[in-house]
Amino acid sequence: MHRRDLLISAATTAAALACPQIIRAQEAQTHFFAGCYYDTAVSDTSTLFRNLINPLRDDQSAEKNGAELSRRVRAIVDTKKDFARIVGLNDKDEGNPIALSVTRAQHDIITITSPGLPNEFLTTISVSAAVDVMTDKAAFRNQNRFESLYSTMIVVNQVIHGRNRPSDAEIARHYQSVFFAAVEELLDRTAKYLRDKRERASAVFQVKNMVMPSPLPIDIDGLITSGVDAAADKSPDARQREMTKLSREIQHIYSLMILDALDRAKVANVAILPPESPWTEGRILRVLQQRLGVQAQILAQPDSTQMNGFEIRAGLIKVERSKGAGTSQINCTMGSRIVRRKGEDLEHVPSSIKDTAKKIAVSTNARTFIDRPDFKRGLPRDVIMGAIRDSARGAATALVPLLKATAEEF
């Protein structure tokens, strides 16, 4: 099967996260491929290492160095002639480095039982990958222009349906196919957004957080538990790390939805900076500094306050499950507001709206899934994340008028 055949709408859900459409310059910029990385602290028994890293590295007796996937990814990069042309890719360590990383790999198996018939199995493979363009300094050559930091993530889910539970070798092959498909889609999307020349922004916004409900709903708790299990993380702070990881992933989902909503509304004078990128900070910066010999601190977290900037504070207000006849439903509510920092204080904007409740963008959406005794499944991760994405899309649409009003005030 061709890799791109994996990205079909019925069997695959692909979501690019936080594609900032604000990278622009007076002249074309030059980039080079720095490699594909992962966190070397990952356990050898994790699904990521067992199904992706270990099978694809050339020398399985060598120690993990975090860049074992680079050669395979480079082979894909070399086939993307349009990507190379659009981003000005060269084969030297010159220009802005482009680094890819794999951030999550896990799967769930659903067992379907029918009287008198063999069991059926639905296996959902989920792989998250990211791309980052980094520089050793910000390029604030023009007012309100942030030109050279780019971060986007994609989540690809592939469903495999069969009469037999897939073997470990079959699951590993599926993981690798999904990963390669994610890399291809990442490169295509990066080329698209890097060439998207937007007007100079009059205001810049950044999604700064994503608060989880407290106490944690059962389905969010399940996402965290499944993430810890997939990572085979036995450390005392494993749950907190997975909570932070999930929160930041949802930040990137919301950031993408805001970009899409701005595009639909044809708002061209508002720029969205990417959220903080944990895969850049935790996995790539040190390797990149060593390779490039960069002495200065590489910019990973843009300071939106330097650019007539505003923070978008967001959170999941409610995530709950309801049971029907043969089905269950995941209901998700997301909300957000815009603030401007004034020293240690935060000003809730836009100021022209006096009713505080009308300064909050809220959306509730739901996803339904089969829930019967003959349809035995574990955590419906794909359904939960689907409901979160739908709520993020609705909240982003409601946020656009507030973004426009805020930009017009300053």
Side-chain angles (χ1 to χ4, degrees):
M1 179 181 291
H2 194 278
R3 293 174 191 142
R4 298 191 64 80
D5 292 339
L6 292 169
L7 299 174
I8 56 177
S9 58
T12 304
T13 302
L17 310 182
C19 303
Q21 304 175 25
I22 54 174
I23 300 178
R24 59 226 144 141
Q26 303 269 337
E27 62 280 333
Q29 296 190 35
T30 301
H31 303 82
F32 71 94
F33 175 69
C36 181
Y37 303 99
Y38 69 95
D39 187 356
T40 55
V42 65
S43 169
D44 289 359
T45 60
S46 68
T47 53
L48 170 61
F49 189 82
R50 288 189 291 108
N51 296 299
L52 269 182
I53 309 302
N54 199 45
L56 292 178
R57 60 183 181 155
D58 297 323
D59 185 0
Q60 297 190 10
S61 64
E63 292 186 4
K64 293 182 287 188
N65 62 25
E68 288 95 319
L69 299 178
S70 294
R71 184 179 64 83
R72 301 294 187 104
V73 171
R74 180 77 214 208
I76 299 175
V77 172
D78 289 342
T79 67
K80 294 289 185 177
K81 304 304 181 184
D82 287 344
F83 169 80
R85 175 178 53 82
I86 289 167
V87 305
L89 199 67
N90 65 31
D91 57 1
K92 303 175 182 178
D93 289 357
E94 298 174 350
N96 290 325
I98 294 178
L100 281 85
S101 58
V102 56
T103 62
R104 182 190 296 278
Q106 59 189 92
H107 68 277
D108 300 298
I109 298 179
I110 303 170
T111 304
I112 305 172
T113 60
S114 300
L117 295 174
N119 287 347
E120 295 180 71
F121 299 92
L122 292 177
T123 304
T124 302
I125 308 288
S126 181
V127 174
S128 301
V131 63
D132 291 271
V133 179
M134 286 156 287
T135 179
D136 62 346
K137 60 182 178 181
F140 296 127
R141 289 199 292 253
N142 298 289
Q143 181 183 8
N144 295 332
R145 293 173 72 121
F146 187 82
E147 298 179 325
S148 54
L149 182 65
Y150 175 94
S151 175
T152 186
M153 188 182 80
I154 190 169
V155 181
V156 177
N157 296 321
Q158 172 67 24
V159 178
I160 301 100
H161 180 200
R163 287 290 187 185
N164 298 313
R165 181 181 288 270
S167 66
D168 290 344
E170 290 172 331
I171 288 178
R173 286 197 298 272
H174 287 304
Y175 268 99
Q176 293 157 40
S177 295
V178 175
F179 170 67
F180 291 141
V183 170
E184 289 198 353
E185 186 68 9
L186 271 174
L187 297 176
D188 290 343
R189 289 177 180 270
T190 300
K192 173 185 175 182
Y193 284 102
L194 278 171
R195 66 183 175 185
D196 186 5
K197 305 297 190 295
R198 294 174 67 86
E199 299 173 11
R200 185 165 62 183
S202 57
V204 178
F205 301 84
Q206 182 185 42
V207 180
K208 292 294 287 187
N209 70 337
M210 184 60 63
V211 178
M212 296 293 179
S214 181
L216 282 179
I218 183 172
D219 285 308
I220 298 298
D221 185 76
L223 289 180
I224 295 168
T225 299
S226 70
V228 172
D229 291 343
D233 192 341
K234 306 298 184 182
S235 61
D237 57 348
R239 283 185 59 84
Q240 183 56 50
R241 279 205 300 269
E242 183 61 28
M243 171 89 82
T244 301
K245 181 177 179 180
L246 177 63
S247 174
R248 285 183 166 180
E249 286 175 347
I250 299 174
Q251 284 183 55
H252 281 260
I253 291 175
Y254 189 38
S255 187
L256 171 69
M257 297 305 179
I258 294 171
L259 286 168
D260 286 345
L262 289 170
D263 283 343
R264 292 195 304 271
K266 301 187 184 305
V267 178
N269 69 330
V270 168
I272 305 296
L273 299 184
E276 295 178 2
S277 177
W279 41 87
T280 300
E281 298 162 19
R283 298 166 172 80
I284 300 173
L285 288 186
R286 181 177 54 82
V287 176
L288 206 56
Q289 284 174 320
Q290 291 174 347
R291 171 168 177 158
L292 300 180
V294 174
Q295 300 302 317
Q297 181 180 4
I298 296 176
L299 180 64
Q301 297 184 26
D303 184 357
S304 57
T305 62
Q306 298 180 20
M307 305 169 62
N308 190 28
F310 302 84
E311 297 179 7
I312 299 172
R313 298 294 182 95
L316 293 179
I317 299 173
K318 183 184 297 185
V319 178
E320 57 186 4
R321 187 186 299 200
S322 58
K323 183 75 172 69
T327 62
S328 284
Q329 182 171 288
I330 303 293
N331 304 282
C332 178
T333 301
M334 182 178 289
S336 68
R337 63 192 183 107
I338 306 169
V339 300
R340 181 179 180 88
R341 284 195 172 275
K342 288 190 170 182
E344 296 297 321
D345 299 324
L346 295 177
E347 177 188 3
H348 193 176
V349 293
S351 301
S352 57
I353 299 177
K354 303 305 179 184
D355 187 346
T356 302
K358 293 182 179 180
K359 297 183 181 184
I360 300 174
V362 180
S363 177
T364 300
N365 284 269
R367 289 282 183 103
T368 302
F369 62 98
I370 299 173
D371 188 7
R372 302 192 307 261
D374 62 334
F375 207 87
K376 300 176 182 178
R377 66 177 301 163
L379 178 78
R381 183 182 183 89
D382 54 332
V383 180
I384 300 168
M385 295 304 295
I388 290 173
R389 281 193 293 270
D390 292 346
S391 298
R393 184 179 295 107
T397 299
L399 189 70
V400 167
L402 303 179
L403 295 172
K404 291 173 62 177
T406 300
E408 292 168 359
E409 291 179 355
F410 295 89

